[in-house]
Amino acid sequence: MCREVWSAIRPSCPKGHAVPPQRPASNDLVEEALRRFDLYARLRAGRDSLLQTQRSSAQDEDKAFQELEAVMARLRAKQG
């Protein structure tokens, strides 16, 4: 029960229930980097797609890559 409400409040858990540890901020950056990479990979794969609805523009691909580079720079700085 305590694990389910952990994100909303920080209850005092009865004995036997482990309180999940706080995630470091770098984990959030890693998750964001993975999401950005996934988006970039999908856009890159869609560039040469035969299906019109799957195609992506070079501008979309460039923007996704720039966002991926930015989050990677933040992650490197955080790991410093």
Side-chain angles (χ1 to χ4, degrees):
M1 177 67 178
C2 289
R3 290 175 194 244
E4 297 167 355
V5 296
W6 178 254
S7 61
I9 58 172
R10 196 175 198 164
S12 51
C13 296
K15 289 183 180 181
H17 288 99
V19 176
Q22 292 274 27
R23 289 188 326 175
S26 61
N27 281 357
D28 293 337
L29 285 174
V30 169
E31 289 175 8
E32 183 179 352
L34 291 173
R35 284 192 303 272
R36 299 286 182 182
F37 179 79
D38 183 55
L39 175 63
Y40 172 71
R42 283 187 281 127
L43 288 171
R44 176 85 178 176
R47 179 174 46 166
D48 300 324
S49 176
L50 296 175
L51 301 172
Q52 182 68 22
T53 57
Q54 296 284 325
R55 288 191 191 151
S56 59
S57 69
Q59 293 82 13
D60 290 337
E61 186 181 326
D62 287 341
K63 182 180 178 194
F65 186 74
Q66 289 170 357
E67 290 172 352
L68 176 60
E69 283 183 317
V71 74
M72 291 303 295
R74 289 197 319 264
L75 183 60
R76 286 185 187 110
K78 181 85 172 169
Q79 297 297 317

